[in-house]
Amino acid sequence: MRRLQIRHVTTYRYAEAVTLLPHKLILRPREGHDVHIESANLAIYPAHRLQWQRDMYDNSVALATFTEPGDRLSIDSRLILQHYEDQPLDFLVADYAVRYPFRYDLAEQADLYAYIVPIFAPDEPLLSQWLESFWKSGQVVETYLLLEWINKAIATGFTYQQREEPGVQTPAATLAKRTGSCRDFAALFIEACHYLGLAARFVSGYLCMPTSNENAGATHAWSEVYLPGAGWKGFDSTSGQVVGNDHIALAVGRHPESVPPVSGAFLSASPQWPVMRVRVEVSGIPAQ
């Protein structure tokens, strides 16, 4: 178990005072057997009302409604949590799903359907061609190994590039450019799973590595695949690793553009482009 202190600060500066429309904030980690939140504090400027809710994926969402204009928006999230995911490879897949191809149990198919339907259907021909190097019709392969091959192929065969633009690249664009951000790589991996008939979803969260460098942290994106018997297992296509102790999930969603940490809009008397800054600080807390 590790105790972590995380601070995530997002600021927007405007050329002149603006009217801030409601903002949706997804900054509270998903709690469960692997993550326990000891304390959480969310400080926001300017003056606002805050309402907490759960979305359809059971993510914890804060809706900020602002009561005064401002030339700056500041969102400061501070967390202390316990993380227990020390052995990410310690899981067993149900016998019928150990080898691919397989079909999900009938009792689960209806609930998983939304996570199997292609998101970028026009990209299927190019995606199919790329996937032939991992699996061909009629071939039988261990399910986990197939996922690991695809995950590592993205991490080693593509160049990571941080992108400030909103949204994600289509899988076809990522395959053509051979470059992308973490969210682009996750979108490619997810769509590959959809093509193979495997349920997959997008994850927004933090990458925390306090043991290698104090305050080393970043917002990050990866994927989860539903493996019968094991549940939703995370794959990080930026590093090529199975998700473990360095990953803290904030939210999950069907579409890669559905769960940004901060989203909202503003009204301005004249056109302007705010300057955004994001900082994530992570530090380990010694065991007491």
Side-chain angles (χ1 to χ4, degrees), residues 1-4 81-84 86 208 210-211 245-246:
M1 185 270 286
R2 290 197 303 175
R3 294 181 73 225
L4 298 173
L81 53 82
Q82 301 170 8
H83 197 355
Y84 295 86
D86 296 317
C208 306
T211 55
N245 224 11
D246 293 331

Side-chain angles (χ1 to χ4, degrees), residues 156-221:
T156 58
F158 295 74
T159 302
Y160 173 79
Q161 183 179 46
Q162 188 173 358
R163 291 195 307 109
E164 298 297 335
E165 302 89 346
V168 298
Q169 290 180 166
T170 65
T174 302
L175 288 170
K177 296 178 180 179
R178 311 299 292 187
T179 65
S181 65
C182 57
R183 62 187 186 274
D184 301 324
F185 293 162
L188 174 58
F189 182 86
I190 290 168
E191 198 67 355
C193 290
H194 291 165
Y195 177 81
L196 296 170
L198 300 175
R201 64 188 185 183
F202 183 84
V203 187
S204 170
Y206 297 128
L207 183 62
C208 306
M209 299 172 291
T211 55
S212 60
N213 181 21
E214 197 70 7
N215 292 332
T219 55
H220 197 48

Side-chain angles (χ1 to χ4, degrees), residues 7 12 15 31 46 57 69 74 88 125 138 146 159 170 179 191 215 223 256:
R7 185 182 184 189
Y12 294 85
E31 289 191 89
Y57 304 107
S74 174
L146 175 59
T159 302
T170 65
T179 65
E191 198 67 355
N215 292 332
S223 318

Side-chain angles (χ1 to χ4, degrees), residues 224-245:
E224 286 183 346
V225 183
Y226 185 76
L227 297 175
W232 291 99
K233 301 304 296 182
F235 291 83
D236 184 345
S237 298
T238 303
S239 65
Q241 302 297 314
V242 174
V243 168
N245 224 11

Side-chain angles (χ1 to χ4, degrees), residues 1-185:
M1 185 270 286
R2 290 197 303 175
R3 294 181 73 225
L4 298 173
Q5 182 172 272
I6 302 173
R7 185 182 184 189
H8 178 181
V9 181
T10 301
T11 58
Y12 294 85
R13 292 193 176 275
Y14 306 91
E16 60 185 25
V18 300
T19 298
L20 294 163
L21 300 180
H23 278 55
K24 185 170 72 171
L25 314 177
I26 307 180
L27 298 169
R28 184 180 177 91
R30 292 173 63 88
E31 289 191 89
H33 63 276
D34 56 339
V35 173
H36 171 66
I37 298 174
E38 291 186 17
S39 66
N41 180 264
L42 186 58
I44 303 171
Y45 176 87
H48 61 280
R49 294 190 301 271
L50 199 63
Q51 180 185 35
W52 288 92
Q53 55 190 235
R54 292 279 182 179
D55 66 12
M56 70 179 77
Y57 304 107
D58 203 34
N59 300 315
S60 186
V61 179
L63 185 65
T65 303
F66 297 92
T67 57
E68 65 180 25
D71 60 3
R72 176 174 64 93
L73 169 60
S74 174
I75 302 164
D76 189 343
S77 172
R78 303 188 188 207
L79 301 159
I80 295 179
L81 53 82
Q82 301 170 8
H83 197 355
Y84 295 86
E85 189 69 290
D86 296 317
Q87 297 178 305
L89 295 177
D90 185 17
F91 64 87
L92 293 175
V93 178
D95 290 344
Y96 77 89
V98 168
R99 295 189 177 277
Y100 179 85
F102 68 89
R103 285 195 172 189
Y104 288 111
D105 186 273
L106 284 174
E108 296 180 325
Q109 284 183 16
D111 294 321
L112 293 175
Y113 179 75
Y115 298 102
I116 300 175
V117 176
I119 298 172
F120 305 94
D123 294 3
E124 187 171 302
L126 190 58
L127 194 63
S128 171
Q129 182 181 357
W130 179 65
L131 285 173
E132 284 186 357
S133 59
F134 309 106
W135 178 82
K136 295 181 180 179
S137 180
Q139 182 181 0
V140 177
V141 63
E142 187 176 334
T143 304
Y144 172 75
L145 282 180
L146 175 59
L147 293 170
E148 186 178 50
W149 291 340
I150 298 171
N151 196 43
K152 288 186 178 298
I154 297 173
T156 58
F158 295 74
T159 302
Y160 173 79
Q161 183 179 46
Q162 188 173 358
R163 291 195 307 109
E164 298 297 335
E165 302 89 346
V168 298
Q169 290 180 166
T170 65
T174 302
L175 288 170
K177 296 178 180 179
R178 311 299 292 187
T179 65
S181 65
C182 57
R183 62 187 186 274
D184 301 324
F185 293 162

